[in-house]
Amino acid sequence: MELSNNGTDQSFTAQNAVASIILSLACLLGVPGNALVIWIILFTMQRQRSPTVVLILNLAIADVLVLITLPLWIYSFVHGWALGEGFCKILSYLIHCNMYVSVFLITVMSAERFMAVVYPFATQRWRRNKVVVKVVLAVWGFAFLFSVPVLMFQVLDVDMDGRQQCLSMVFNTDQQEILCTVLQVVVAFVIPFSVMITCYICIGRKVKSMTFNTPNRTGAVIGSVVIVFFICWVPHHIINVISLVALMTENQTMSDTLNDVYDIGVLVTGALAFINSCVNPVLYAFAARNIRSGFRLSALAKLFDQLTHSLKEESRKESMDTTKKDLSVTMEEMCSLQDI
């Protein structure tokens, strides 16, 4: 029994360590990237915010709101949750909301790109900022709605070392757990991934049929979007499906084995899902031509202009100082000549 418990403790400790490393990388890379995207859009693109840029702005906001909470979770893995059950519920709810928003916005952006490429003229009247604002509000509304179960069932749990952790949802019945898990898998992965892959397959076919020679770069961006979303999210939802199978199976041995697999993988796969929020600025924001140009022209160019201006000012001041010194020397020499 002691060996079994020690093995479980070691597995849990390794699981926490891996999850903490993944979350640390996501926070260190994702927060500056998303913050930079928000700054560029808000302060350098006031007059050229297309519908796509509005979607990217909301995506960056949702991602950065998720990523700035990661230090709390990393601290919790190491020292335990110390903020109480109420804050556990609220913070978990906000994280689920923003994760839903991130997934929904990626799906909307895929559909928007599909309409813009496949039906560019028929959809011009729909690709307006007023329509996009309504879509964004609907996305946030649905995200808040689908995250309500977290407020109802999120509780504090105790880990192997006796520390409280804000990681579990405890349901009143098996039917509630099955319903909530199936809803999350379908709404947060199956439907969005199906929409994305369908849209990008159609976009890829359309691009290949065009005469201009830019299909390779477009295909690379499209492929990276689908692949990264799949890699980041499918392990998390596979673990959820494993928990469903363990709950529904009548074989107790299989159920216990599947529950062990779930316990081992839930933290790591959950942490991996945060990587999608970290990679989003690279895939969506910096792949957008107007944001890239906005970054180059508005940020770097302004910095270069300021440096150039300061150098010119310093050079002018130095020349003026030199001239003044020469004049003072000349005046002194004239005065000395008069004295002679």
Side-chain angles (χ1 to χ4, degrees), residues 188-241:
F189 181 75
V190 175
I191 294 176
F193 185 72
S194 300
V195 172
M196 273 192 289
I197 198 166
T198 302
C199 291
Y200 286 137
I201 287 174
C202 295
I203 292 173
R205 290 178 178 176
K206 182 69 174 179
V207 170
K208 285 184 178 180
S209 66
M210 293 178 178
T211 56
F212 52 84
N213 188 22
T214 58
N216 291 333
R217 181 180 177 277
T218 305
V221 173
I222 291 171
S224 62
V225 167
V226 178
I227 292 172
V228 169
F229 182 85
F230 184 83
I231 291 175
C232 290
W233 281 104
V234 74
H236 174 68
H237 293 294
I238 286 176
I239 287 292
N240 285 336
V241 172

Coordinates of all heavy atoms in Angstrom, one line a residue, residues 188-241:
A188 N -17.4 23.3 -27.2 CA -16.1 23.9 -27.2 C -15.1 23.3 -28.2 O -14.0 23.8 -28.4 CB -15.5 23.9 -25.8
F189 N -15.4 22.1 -28.7 CA -14.5 21.5 -29.6 C -15.1 20.9 -30.9 O -14.6 21.3 -32.0 CB -13.7 20.4 -28.9 CG -12.7 19.7 -29.8 CD1 -11.5 20.4 -30.1 CD2 -12.9 18.5 -30.4 CE1 -10.5 19.8 -30.9 CE2 -12.0 17.9 -31.2 CZ -10.8 18.5 -31.4
V190 N -16.1 20.1 -30.8 CA -16.6 19.4 -32.0 C -17.1 20.3 -33.0 O -16.8 20.3 -34.2 CB -17.6 18.3 -31.6 CG1 -18.2 17.7 -32.8 CG2 -17.0 17.3 -30.7
I191 N -18.0 21.2 -32.6 CA -18.7 22.2 -33.5 C -17.6 23.2 -34.0 O -17.5 23.4 -35.2 CB -19.8 22.9 -32.8 CG1 -21.0 21.9 -32.5 CG2 -20.4 24.0 -33.7 CD1 -22.2 22.5 -31.8
P192 N -16.8 23.8 -33.1 CA -15.8 24.8 -33.6 C -14.8 24.2 -34.6 O -14.5 24.7 -35.6 CB -15.1 25.3 -32.4 CG -16.1 25.1 -31.3 CD -16.9 23.9 -31.6
F193 N -14.3 23.0 -34.2 CA -13.3 22.4 -35.1 C -13.9 22.0 -36.4 O -13.3 22.1 -37.5 CB -12.7 21.2 -34.4 CG -11.6 20.5 -35.2 CD1 -10.3 21.1 -35.3 CD2 -11.7 19.3 -35.8 CE1 -9.3 20.6 -36.0 CE2 -10.7 18.7 -36.5 CZ -9.5 19.4 -36.6
S194 N -15.1 21.5 -36.4 CA -15.8 21.1 -37.7 C -16.0 22.3 -38.6 O -15.8 22.2 -39.8 CB -17.2 20.4 -37.4 OG -17.0 19.3 -36.6
V195 N -16.4 23.4 -38.0 CA -16.6 24.7 -38.7 C -15.3 25.1 -39.3 O -15.2 25.5 -40.5 CB -17.3 25.8 -37.9 CG1 -17.3 27.1 -38.6 CG2 -18.7 25.3 -37.5
M196 N -14.3 25.1 -38.5 CA -12.9 25.6 -38.9 C -12.4 24.8 -40.1 O -12.0 25.4 -41.1 CB -12.0 25.6 -37.7 CG -12.0 26.8 -36.9 SD -10.6 26.9 -35.8 CE -11.1 25.6 -34.6
I197 N -12.4 23.5 -39.9 CA -11.8 22.7 -40.9 C -12.6 22.7 -42.2 O -12.0 22.7 -43.3 CB -11.6 21.2 -40.4 CG1 -10.6 20.5 -41.3 CG2 -12.9 20.5 -40.4 CD1 -10.1 19.2 -40.7
T198 N -13.9 22.8 -42.1 CA -14.8 23.0 -43.3 C -14.5 24.3 -44.0 O -14.3 24.3 -45.3 CB -16.2 22.9 -43.0 OG1 -16.5 21.6 -42.3 CG2 -17.1 23.0 -44.2
C199 N -14.4 25.4 -43.3 CA -14.1 26.7 -43.9 C -12.8 26.7 -44.5 O -12.6 27.2 -45.7 CB -14.2 27.8 -42.8 SG -15.9 28.1 -42.2
Y200 N -11.7 26.2 -43.9 CA -10.4 26.3 -44.4 C -10.2 25.3 -45.6 O -9.4 25.6 -46.5 CB -9.4 26.0 -43.3 CG -9.3 27.2 -42.4 CD1 -9.2 27.0 -41.0 CD2 -9.2 28.5 -42.9 CE1 -9.1 28.1 -40.1 CE2 -9.2 29.6 -42.0 CZ -9.1 29.4 -40.7 OH -9.0 30.5 -39.8
I201 N -10.9 24.2 -45.6 CA -10.8 23.3 -46.8 C -11.4 24.1 -48.0 O -10.8 24.1 -49.1 CB -11.6 22.0 -46.6 CG1 -10.8 21.1 -45.6 CG2 -11.8 21.3 -47.9 CD1 -11.5 19.9 -45.2
C202 N -12.5 24.8 -47.8 CA -13.1 25.5 -48.9 C -12.2 26.7 -49.3 O -12.1 27.0 -50.5 CB -14.5 26.1 -48.5 SG -15.7 24.8 -48.2
I203 N -11.6 27.4 -48.3 CA -10.7 28.5 -48.7 C -9.5 27.9 -49.4 O -9.1 28.6 -50.4 CB -10.3 29.2 -47.4 CG1 -11.4 29.9 -46.7 CG2 -9.1 30.1 -47.7 CD1 -11.1 30.5 -45.4
G204 N -9.0 26.8 -49.0 CA -7.8 26.2 -49.7 C -8.1 25.9 -51.2 O -7.3 26.2 -52.0
R205 N -9.3 25.3 -51.4 CA -9.7 25.0 -52.8 C -9.9 26.3 -53.6 O -9.5 26.4 -54.8 CB -11.0 24.2 -52.8 CG -10.9 22.8 -52.2 CD -12.2 22.1 -52.2 NE -12.1 20.7 -51.7 CZ -13.1 19.9 -51.5 NH1 -14.4 20.4 -51.7 NH2 -12.9 18.7 -51.0
K206 N -10.4 27.3 -53.0 CA -10.6 28.6 -53.7 C -9.3 29.2 -54.0 O -9.1 29.8 -55.1 CB -11.5 29.6 -52.8 CG -11.8 30.9 -53.5 CD -12.8 30.7 -54.6 CE -13.2 32.1 -55.2 NZ -14.1 32.0 -56.3
V207 N -8.4 29.2 -53.1 CA -7.1 29.8 -53.3 C -6.3 29.1 -54.4 O -5.7 29.7 -55.3 CB -6.2 29.8 -52.0 CG1 -4.8 30.2 -52.3 CG2 -6.8 30.8 -51.0
K208 N -6.4 27.8 -54.4 CA -5.7 27.0 -55.5 C -6.3 27.3 -56.9 O -5.6 27.2 -57.9 CB -5.9 25.5 -55.2 CG -5.0 25.0 -54.1 CD -5.1 23.5 -53.9 CE -4.2 23.0 -52.8 NZ -4.3 21.5 -52.6
S209 N -7.6 27.6 -56.9 CA -8.2 27.9 -58.2 C -7.9 29.3 -58.7 O -8.2 29.7 -59.9 CB -9.7 27.8 -58.2 OG -10.3 28.7 -57.3
M210 N -7.3 30.2 -57.9 CA -7.0 31.5 -58.3 C -5.7 31.6 -59.1 O -4.8 30.7 -59.0 CB -6.8 32.5 -57.1 CG -8.1 32.7 -56.3 SD -7.9 33.7 -54.9 CE -9.6 33.7 -54.3
T211 N -5.5 32.6 -59.9 CA -4.4 32.7 -60.8 C -3.1 33.3 -60.2 O -2.0 33.0 -60.7 CB -4.8 33.5 -62.1 OG1 -5.2 34.8 -61.6 CG2 -5.9 32.9 -62.8
F212 N -3.3 34.1 -59.2 CA -2.1 34.8 -58.6 C -1.3 33.7 -57.8 O -1.9 32.8 -57.3 CB -2.5 36.0 -57.8 CG -3.5 35.8 -56.7 CD1 -3.1 35.2 -55.5 CD2 -4.8 36.1 -57.0 CE1 -4.1 35.0 -54.5 CE2 -5.8 35.8 -56.0 CZ -5.4 35.3 -54.8
N213 N -0.1 34.0 -57.7 CA 0.9 33.0 -57.1 C 1.1 33.2 -55.6 O 2.2 33.6 -55.2 CB 2.2 33.1 -57.9 CG 3.1 31.9 -57.5 OD1 2.6 30.9 -57.0 ND2 4.4 32.1 -57.7
T214 N 0.0 33.1 -54.8 CA 0.2 33.2 -53.3 C -0.5 32.0 -52.6 O -0.8 32.2 -51.4 CB -0.4 34.5 -52.8 OG1 -1.8 34.5 -53.2 CG2 0.3 35.7 -53.4
P215 N -0.6 30.9 -53.1 CA -1.3 29.8 -52.4 C -0.5 29.2 -51.3 O -1.0 28.7 -50.3 CB -1.7 28.8 -53.5 CG -0.6 29.0 -54.5 CD -0.3 30.4 -54.5
N216 N 0.9 29.2 -51.4 CA 1.7 28.5 -50.5 C 1.7 29.2 -49.1 O 1.5 28.5 -48.1 CB 3.2 28.5 -51.0 CG 3.3 27.6 -52.2 OD1 2.5 26.6 -52.4 ND2 4.3 27.9 -53.0
R217 N 1.8 30.5 -49.1 CA 1.8 31.2 -47.8 C 0.4 31.1 -47.1 O 0.3 30.9 -46.0 CB 2.2 32.7 -48.0 CG 2.2 33.5 -46.7 CD 2.6 34.9 -46.9 NE 2.5 35.7 -45.7 CZ 1.5 36.2 -45.2 NH1 0.3 36.0 -45.8 NH2 1.5 36.9 -44.1
T218 N -0.6 31.3 -47.9 CA -2.0 31.2 -47.4 C -2.3 29.8 -46.9 O -2.8 29.6 -45.8 CB -3.0 31.5 -48.5 OG1 -2.7 32.8 -49.0 CG2 -4.4 31.5 -48.0
G219 N -1.8 28.8 -47.6 CA -2.0 27.4 -47.2 C -1.3 27.1 -45.9 O -1.8 26.4 -45.0
A220 N -0.1 27.7 -45.7 CA 0.7 27.5 -44.5 C 0.0 28.1 -43.3 O -0.1 27.5 -42.2 CB 2.1 28.1 -44.6
V221 N -0.6 29.3 -43.5 CA -1.3 29.9 -42.4 C -2.6 29.1 -42.0 O -2.8 28.9 -40.8 CB -1.7 31.4 -42.8 CG1 -2.6 32.0 -41.7 CG2 -0.4 32.2 -42.9
I222 N -3.3 28.7 -43.0 CA -4.5 27.9 -42.8 C -4.2 26.6 -42.1 O -4.8 26.2 -41.1 CB -5.2 27.7 -44.1 CG1 -5.8 29.0 -44.7 CG2 -6.3 26.6 -44.0 CD1 -6.3 28.8 -46.1
G223 N -3.2 25.9 -42.6 CA -2.8 24.7 -41.9 C -2.4 24.8 -40.5 O -2.7 24.0 -39.6
S224 N -1.6 25.9 -40.2 CA -1.1 26.1 -38.9 C -2.3 26.4 -37.9 O -2.3 26.0 -36.7 CB -0.1 27.3 -38.8 OG -0.7 28.5 -39.3
V225 N -3.3 27.1 -38.4 CA -4.5 27.5 -37.6 C -5.2 26.2 -37.1 O -5.4 26.0 -35.9 CB -5.5 28.4 -38.3 CG1 -6.8 28.4 -37.6 CG2 -4.9 29.7 -38.5
V226 N -5.4 25.3 -38.0 CA -6.2 24.1 -37.7 C -5.3 23.1 -36.9 O -5.8 22.6 -35.9 CB -6.6 23.3 -39.0 CG1 -7.3 22.0 -38.7 CG2 -7.5 24.2 -39.8
I227 N -4.0 23.0 -37.2 CA -3.1 22.1 -36.5 C -2.9 22.5 -35.0 O -3.0 21.7 -34.1 CB -1.8 22.0 -37.2 CG1 -2.0 21.2 -38.6 CG2 -0.8 21.2 -36.4 CD1 -0.8 21.2 -39.4
V228 N -2.7 23.8 -34.8 CA -2.4 24.3 -33.5 C -3.7 24.2 -32.6 O -3.6 23.7 -31.5 CB -1.9 25.8 -33.5 CG1 -1.9 26.4 -32.1 CG2 -0.5 25.8 -34.1
F229 N -4.8 24.5 -33.2 CA -6.1 24.4 -32.4 C -6.3 22.9 -32.0 O -6.7 22.6 -30.9 CB -7.3 24.9 -33.2 CG -8.6 24.8 -32.5 CD1 -9.0 25.8 -31.7 CD2 -9.4 23.7 -32.7 CE1 -10.2 25.8 -31.0 CE2 -10.6 23.6 -32.0 CZ -11.0 24.7 -31.2
F230 N -6.0 22.0 -33.0 CA -6.2 20.6 -32.7 C -5.3 20.1 -31.6 O -5.7 19.4 -30.7 CB -6.0 19.8 -34.0 CG -6.3 18.3 -33.9 CD1 -7.6 17.8 -34.0 CD2 -5.3 17.4 -33.7 CE1 -7.8 16.5 -33.8 CE2 -5.5 16.1 -33.5 CZ -6.8 15.6 -33.6
I231 N -4.0 20.4 -31.8 CA -3.0 19.9 -30.8 C -3.3 20.5 -29.4 O -3.1 19.7 -28.4 CB -1.6 20.4 -31.3 CG1 -1.2 19.6 -32.5 CG2 -0.5 20.1 -30.2 CD1 0.1 20.0 -33.1
C232 N -3.7 21.7 -29.3 CA -3.9 22.3 -28.0 C -5.1 21.8 -27.3 O -5.1 21.7 -26.1 CB -3.9 23.9 -28.1 SG -2.3 24.6 -28.6
W233 N -6.2 21.5 -28.0 CA -7.4 21.3 -27.4 C -7.8 19.8 -27.4 O -8.6 19.4 -26.5 CB -8.6 22.1 -28.1 CG -8.6 23.5 -27.7 CD1 -8.1 24.6 -28.4 CD2 -9.1 24.0 -26.4 NE1 -8.3 25.7 -27.6 CE2 -8.9 25.4 -26.4 CE3 -9.7 23.4 -25.3 CZ2 -9.3 26.2 -25.4 CZ3 -10.0 24.2 -24.2 CH2 -9.9 25.6 -24.3
V234 N -7.4 19.0 -28.4 CA -7.9 17.6 -28.4 C -7.5 16.8 -27.2 O -8.2 16.0 -26.7 CB -7.5 17.0 -29.8 CG1 -6.0 16.6 -29.8 CG2 -8.3 15.7 -30.0
P235 N -6.2 16.9 -26.6 CA -5.9 16.2 -25.4 C -6.9 16.4 -24.3 O -7.3 15.5 -23.5 CB -4.5 16.6 -25.1 CG -3.9 17.1 -26.4 CD -5.1 17.7 -27.1
H236 N -7.2 17.7 -24.1 CA -8.1 18.1 -23.0 C -9.5 17.4 -23.1 O -10.0 16.9 -22.2 CB -8.2 19.6 -23.0 CG -9.2 20.1 -22.0 ND1 -9.0 20.0 -20.6 CD2 -10.4 20.7 -22.1 CE1 -10.1 20.6 -20.0 NE2 -10.9 21.0 -20.9
H237 N -10.0 17.4 -24.4 CA -11.3 16.8 -24.6 C -11.3 15.3 -24.6 O -12.3 14.7 -24.3 CB -11.9 17.4 -25.8 CG -12.2 18.9 -25.7 ND1 -13.2 19.4 -24.9 CD2 -11.7 20.0 -26.4 CE1 -13.2 20.7 -25.0 NE2 -12.3 21.1 -25.9
I238 N -10.1 14.7 -25.0 CA -10.0 13.3 -24.9 C -10.1 12.9 -23.4 O -10.7 11.9 -23.1 CB -8.7 12.8 -25.5 CG1 -8.8 12.9 -27.1 CG2 -8.3 11.4 -25.1 CD1 -7.5 12.6 -27.8
I239 N -9.4 13.6 -22.5 CA -9.5 13.4 -21.1 C -10.9 13.5 -20.6 O -11.4 12.7 -19.8 CB -8.5 14.3 -20.3 CG1 -7.1 13.9 -20.6 CG2 -8.8 14.3 -18.9 CD1 -6.7 12.6 -20.0
N240 N -11.6 14.5 -21.1 CA -13.0 14.6 -20.7 C -13.9 13.4 -21.2 O -14.7 12.9 -20.4 CB -13.6 15.9 -21.3 CG -13.2 17.1 -20.6 OD1 -12.8 17.0 -19.4 ND2 -13.2 18.2 -21.2
V241 N -13.6 12.9 -22.4 CA -14.3 11.7 -22.9 C -13.9 10.5 -22.0 O -14.8 9.6 -21.7 CB -14.0 11.5 -24.4 CG1 -14.5 10.1 -24.8 CG2 -14.5 12.6 -25.2

